[in-house]
Amino acid sequence: GVDVEAAIADIAKLHCAARTLTSVGTAKQGGALDYTYSVTPSPDAAPEELVKQLNRIEGVQEVRWIRRGQEPE
């Protein structure tokens, strides 16, 4: 299978000045892992392109870009 963490890291290097894993948990009744990252975008980062590239990774089921201070309640 695909090393999802390595694939995420490769893409993040292109779009993020910094990336920190902030939480890991289970989803889908334990059938999946849910990772949350805090990122500092590169000055020329395009959020839409980052989301598209991450969604192309085999095994990734959902990607969301949420600006700090605009988290869902």
Side-chain angles (χ1 to χ4, degrees):
V2 174
D3 182 347
V4 175
E5 178 58 29
I8 290 170
D10 289 343
I11 292 170
K13 287 178 193 174
L14 301 173
H15 299 279
C16 304
R19 173 180 66 102
T20 304
L21 179 63
T22 59
S23 70
V24 177
T26 58
K28 307 231 182 224
Q29 298 176 333
L33 290 174
D34 184 15
Y35 293 86
T36 302
Y37 294 90
S38 175
V39 301
T40 301
S42 300
D44 59 345
E48 298 83 5
E49 188 59 30
L50 173 61
V51 169
K52 285 180 195 175
Q53 288 185 18
L54 291 171
N55 266 320
R56 291 185 190 125
I57 299 171
E58 181 183 335
V60 171
Q61 296 180 4
E62 180 181 4
V63 177
R64 290 185 291 155
W65 177 285
I66 302 170
R67 292 194 187 278
R68 195 169 283 156
Q70 297 179 353
E71 293 86 0
E73 296 181 15

